Amino acid sequence: MYSWLSYICLAAVSSLAVGEAVINDCQLVGDADKKSTVEQALLQRLAPLKHKRFVTQTQEGTGTYTYTFVVCGRADNDTGSTVGLMQTRTEPKENTAIGRISQTHIMNGSHWIMMIYRGGDKYDNHCGSEERKATIMILCDKSTLADDFTIIREERNKTKECFYLFELSSSVACPPEESHLSVGSILLIV
């Protein structure tokens, strides 16, 4: 009897842990059996930033807005949430999901990585009432693991494909440095 009870409890904890892991990590957009190896490799490059919280503020008219971004983690305190980037209006207090980690797209260039969190709360009267999305440009900066998270702009004066654009400086976006031995080093080794 005791072993069966232990087994059931262990199974329940295991399934809870698996469910929690899914919520606490980026889920790439696309079919499960056709995941992009490039995107998966980029997520591995971002591993040092996973679950780090970045905050920036902006003033728009009389309102103050705070943006909270978490790399592959929850930006709010709701344990069931998948909000990866959240906007908080100061007065009156209001939270808006800008993008979710459950809808992540990622790409890169030679000195940048771009993350897109889709599936945010719908616009009320702008952008054809589509869901909000956040684009985060992670720019190469060899001097810091991560710094200077800022909002660049919100594009909402279109009928669709609106977005919020952010920047973050990080060494993870830098290309790996190649090691070259000089002629003198080779002679010394020989």
Side-chain angles (χ1 to χ4, degrees):
M1 177 74 172
Y2 178 72
S3 62
W4 281 101
L5 184 58
S6 298
Y7 179 75
I8 291 170
C9 289
L10 182 60
V13 169
S14 296
S15 66
L16 179 62
V18 168
E20 186 69 18
V22 171
I23 292 172
N24 277 327
D25 204 6
C26 287
Q27 296 172 359
L28 298 172
V29 175
D31 297 329
D33 59 338
K34 297 180 182 176
K35 293 290 183 191
S36 165
T37 55
V38 172
E39 284 187 308
Q40 290 174 345
L42 288 170
L43 281 179
Q44 289 300 315
R45 281 181 58 190
L46 290 173
L49 301 181
K50 275 191 175 180
H51 306 287
K52 292 202 181 294
R53 180 176 298 271
F54 302 96
V55 178
T56 188
Q57 276 192 340
T58 186
Q59 188 81 25
E60 186 177 314
T62 59
T64 302
Y65 296 89
T66 301
Y67 295 90
T68 305
F69 166 55
V70 178
V71 179
C72 295
R74 295 187 308 258
D76 58 2
N77 295 325
D78 182 0
T79 57
S81 172
T82 60
V83 177
L85 204 149
M86 182 173 55
Q87 175 192 65
T88 303
R89 183 178 179 169
T90 307
E91 199 59 47
K93 179 98 170 155
E94 179 183 17
N95 290 333
T96 303
I98 304 299
R100 301 184 188 283
I101 62 174
S102 58
Q103 296 185 39
T104 302
H105 182 64
I106 187 169
M107 64 187 80
N108 73 317
S110 59
H111 287 79
W112 55 267
I113 297 174
M114 181 168 57
M115 291 186 77
I116 300 171
Y117 285 168
R118 297 180 180 154
D121 292 343
K122 291 186 176 189
Y123 284 97
D124 293 329
N125 300 316
H126 303 288
C127 306
S129 299
E130 71 182 1
E131 294 178 338
R132 289 172 168 85
K133 71 178 172 186
T135 302
I136 304 99
M137 291 295 298
I138 304 170
L139 306 172
C140 171
D141 183 347
K142 293 179 183 180
S143 66
T144 183
L145 177 60
D147 199 11
D148 297 330
F149 176 64
T150 56
I151 183 167
I152 303 302
R153 68 183 168 123
E154 175 189 7
E155 178 59 67
R156 65 178 192 176
N157 293 322
K158 301 172 13 174
T159 55
K160 58 179 164 175
E161 293 300 322
C162 298
F163 60 89
Y164 290 76
L165 179 62
F166 298 86
E167 281 186 357
L168 175 69
S169 300
S170 176
S171 58
V172 300
C174 299
E177 292 185 15
E178 294 182 27
S179 173
H180 297 286
L181 294 176
S182 67
V183 174
S185 299
I186 293 171
L187 289 175
L188 185 60
I189 291 171
V190 171

